[in-house]
Amino acid sequence: MSDEWAILSRVPDILEEYNYLNTSSEVPVVQFEYPENLKNLIDFTIDNGGPREQSEIESIIKDVLHYSVKTGHSNFHNQLFAGVDPYGLAGSWITDALNTSQYTFEVGPVFTLIEDALIKKCLALFGFQDGDGILSPGGSISNMYAMVAARFRALPDVKRTGLANQPTLVAFTSEEAHYSIKKAVHWLGIGIDNLVLVKTDCRGRMIPDELKKSIEAVIESGRKPFFVNSTAGTTVLGAFDPFGRIADICQKYNLWMHIDGCLGGTAILSSNKTYLLAGSERADSFAWNPHKTLGAPLQCSVFILKQKGLLHECNAANADYLFQQDKFYDISYDTGDKSVQCGRKVDALKIWLMFKARGMSGLQALVDNAFDCARYFTEEIRSRSGFRLVLDEYEYTNISFWYIPKKLRVEEEHQDASWWARIYEVTAQIKEHMVKQGTMLLGYVPIPRKNIGNFFRMVVTCHPRPSFDTMRFVIDEIERVGESL
């Protein structure tokens, strides 16, 4: 091995040294520094000098690790993802080492068949008897794939003529849906003014009657409804829309029904939570991110749809230099024209390897454990003095709550706007102190449209494997910091 390749043998050792492969709870989640301070601690400039010694490169890598967030830490609960599955990480390393793409069978033979097998498995898991699919670079793009397919089905000529002189298309999504839907209507030229945000109930679920009223109002305005996005596991409250009733409405008005299950799709692997996805098999398309709850390495996003051949038909550009029709093998395995990309990482390997290594029962155990820990956390919050749940119960593994310090509890009977403003401020202050001390990363969010200010959003994922002890630590730490303010 030449000197320039020798660094690769050192990387696992350095990762282990800095507790990134199996993070100890004894080390900080992050060594926080403000941006200007961090610029003084690490030389980020790219100069015009020559090659560096390996020891210098190792030093640079160690600096990067030292000041980076340890998402594999048991006290990292800040995002919808956390640590990585070791089998998925192995797949990610292999993916990058082989450095191939996913557009033709000849350049990615094994990975083409891996993706094909994974798509077939996902079609079966989510109740799509037949269909098609693709791995995309994130859930936002998966949701955009769905909207493109729906637009093509509604207006087949749009691929050739564009939106000029076409009916004005209108999409629908809940007010709690992911912001990627708003970005999709912008990028696809539909326009944000033609995205209708449907009201939700107190638990964050789309109200079917409100959807129906919104569709009828759009029809009366002379515009053309074409797409309904429903959500399996909303970003904040983890809510699941009533898919069966939404499917009835979409069927009545001949609208494409998509499910953004990027977060909550993982419930399909649970032994007792699959009911959350009841009715989802009636959707036209589904997006799922195994890199969220399940712990596949970022990024790993699956998009499936029922209508076979539609992905290719609406996205194909027929590039002659890639997709020759007289190849010596079955060209149906050249999947690149289904994609909006040309170069495309072979992300399927990561989740496929997790399925192969753990089996369905192993993945089920991981997901069930996450749900068990989320249930335990909710019960502890409900029974602990000073803590208050935003909702009385939660469908997924997101738990939203407040902590009320003792000095504010004496005024709790007078819960006016100023008292709540102090609670919202305390929430942000607790987060700040925990980050600066490196003890925990836990997000907080408001829901302004429901007149709710800052509250903590606890996210329980499969990796690193949570336990009742790690759940109690979160509660104890918030209480400790809250009382120290």
Side-chain angles (χ1 to χ4, degrees):
M1 181 181 290
S2 63
D3 288 344
E4 63 186 14
W5 287 98
I7 190 65
L8 296 179
S9 64
R10 287 284 298 130
V11 169
D13 294 336
I14 297 171
L15 287 170
E16 186 69 32
E17 178 185 342
Y18 278 79
N19 290 292
Y20 267 85
L21 294 181
N22 190 14
T23 307
S24 168
S25 60
E26 303 301 316
V27 300
V29 181
V30 63
Q31 185 72 44
F32 179 80
E33 296 288 347
Y34 286 100
E36 292 306 315
N37 292 341
L38 198 54
K39 289 178 184 178
N40 293 325
L41 292 166
I42 300 178
D43 182 6
F44 292 99
T45 60
I46 300 174
D47 56 36
N48 295 322
R52 295 177 182 252
E53 296 293 329
Q54 177 165 304
S55 59
E56 292 181 88
I57 300 304
E58 286 192 22
S59 179
I60 291 170
I61 292 172
K62 290 177 179 179
D63 283 343
V64 169
L65 292 175
H66 182 71
Y67 294 105
S68 290
V69 174
K70 295 177 175 66
T71 59
H73 198 291
S74 60
N75 300 328
F76 176 85
H77 306 285
N78 206 68
Q79 312 302 138
L80 299 177
F81 66 88
V84 296
D85 185 294
Y87 299 107
L89 180 59
S92 184
W93 285 353
I94 293 167
T95 293
D96 283 340
L98 292 181
N99 195 38
T100 193
S101 191
Q102 190 77 55
Y103 32 65
T104 62
F105 176 81
E106 61 190 294
V107 77
V110 177
F111 299 120
T112 297
L113 298 184
I114 284 174
E115 184 177 65
D116 182 64
L118 179 64
I119 292 300
K120 287 176 179 175
K121 180 65 176 178
C122 290
L123 288 168
L125 274 175
F126 292 104
F128 287 21
Q129 295 305 312
D130 197 9
D132 200 357
I134 197 167
L135 271 285
S136 80
S140 295
I141 304 299
S142 289
N143 291 337
M144 197 176 297
Y145 268 115
M147 197 174 289
V148 169
R151 183 179 67 177
F152 183 78
R153 190 181 74 174
L155 300 174
D157 287 340
V158 75
K159 181 177 178 180
R160 180 175 53 83
T161 66
L163 289 171
N165 301 316
Q166 297 279 9
T168 300
L169 295 175
V170 178
F172 304 81
T173 193
S174 90
E175 59 186 3
E176 298 295 328
H178 192 261
Y179 65 85
S180 60
I181 304 301
K182 183 178 289 187
K183 290 198 172 188
V185 294
H186 158 51
W187 272 56
L188 298 179
I190 292 163
I192 293 173
D193 288 348
N194 294 313
L195 175 65
V196 176
L197 301 183
V198 181
K199 292 179 181 178
T200 57
D201 63 19
C202 62
R203 308 184 66 79
R205 301 170 297 196
M206 183 189 288
I207 302 172
D209 288 344
E210 293 291 335
L211 172 62
K212 186 177 179 181
K213 284 194 294 185
S214 297
I215 292 170
E216 290 177 347
V218 165
I219 293 172
E220 289 176 9
S221 73
R223 294 177 293 166
K224 181 180 178 62
F226 82 109
F227 176 86
V228 174
N229 173 69
S230 54
T231 308
T234 56
T235 303
V236 177
L237 297 176
F240 286 69
D241 290 337
F243 304 121
R245 294 181 64 192
I246 293 172
D248 289 341
I249 294 170
C250 289
Q251 184 175 352
K252 177 179 179 179
Y253 294 98
N254 192 29
L255 307 182
W256 184 285
M257 178 183 171
H258 173 63
I259 296 179
D260 175 359
C262 291
L263 176 61
T266 296
I268 202 69
L269 299 174
S270 172
S271 63
N272 56 17
K273 293 291 183 178
T274 55
Y275 69 87
L276 293 171
L277 294 163
S280 63
E281 71 281 355
R282 297 179 61 191
D284 293 289
S285 56
F286 196 104
W288 175 41
N289 284 359
H291 69 236
K292 286 193 166 72
T293 306
L294 198 58
L298 282 160
Q299 56 201 15
C300 189
S301 183
V302 179
F303 172 69
I304 56 173
L305 73 170
K306 279 184 177 172
Q307 189 171 337
K308 203 163 191 175
L310 184 63
L311 262 181
H312 184 274
E313 192 177 356
C314 72
N315 293 321
N318 304 311
D320 294 335
Y321 63 90
L322 274 180
F323 308 116
Q324 302 93 339
Q325 300 302 295
D326 57 352
K327 288 183 177 180
F328 58 91
Y329 59 82
D330 182 353
I331 60 173
S332 68
Y333 287 103
D334 287 354
T335 59
D337 239 3
K338 294 193 299 185
S339 170
V340 70
Q341 304 162 258
C342 182
R344 184 163 65 91
K345 289 192 70 171
V346 290
D347 290 324
L349 174 63
K350 294 177 282 192
I351 181 63
W352 179 82
L353 202 57
M354 290 168 61
F355 270 107
K356 297 292 275 188
R358 297 192 182 279
M360 287 296 292
S361 62
L363 292 175
Q364 181 185 93
L366 287 173
V367 176
D368 284 345
N369 180 63
F371 273 107
D372 287 344
C373 287
R375 174 189 50 79
Y376 175 83
F377 185 89
T378 305
E379 292 171 355
E380 286 292 299
I381 288 289
R382 185 179 287 117
S383 62
R384 184 81 72 97
S385 296
F387 288 86
R388 181 186 294 192
L389 292 165
V390 176
L391 302 178
D392 57 346
E393 59 181 325
Y394 295 88
E395 295 182 290
Y396 200 61
T397 60
N398 303 10
I399 303 98
S400 301
F401 62 95
W402 291 283
Y403 178 67
I404 304 166
K406 290 177 181 177
K407 63 185 179 183
L408 292 176
R409 283 178 228 169
V410 296
E411 307 170 28
E412 197 165 358
E413 64 227 36
H414 308 295
Q415 296 180 30
D416 58 10
S418 62
W419 184 85
W420 275 110
R422 291 163 71 189
I423 299 300
Y424 302 153
E425 184 180 1
V426 162
T427 302
Q429 289 173 345
I430 293 174
K431 163 68 179 273
E432 178 184 349
H433 280 69
M434 291 191 301
V435 172
K436 289 180 176 177
Q437 294 170 17
T439 57
M440 188 162 66
L441 260 68
L442 182 72
Y444 69 83
V445 290
I447 309 181
R449 59 187 159 270
K450 293 190 181 294
N451 296 315
I452 300 175
N454 294 336
F455 56 84
F456 290 112
R457 182 193 64 172
M458 171 67 173
V459 181
V460 184
T461 61
C462 294
H463 293 286
R465 295 193 197 195
S467 67
F468 291 177
D469 285 342
T470 59
M471 298 296 99
R472 282 194 300 272
F473 178 87
V474 173
I475 299 170
D476 291 343
E477 181 63 10
I478 290 173
E479 185 176 50
R480 181 191 73 80
V481 175
E483 294 306 321
S484 71
L485 296 176

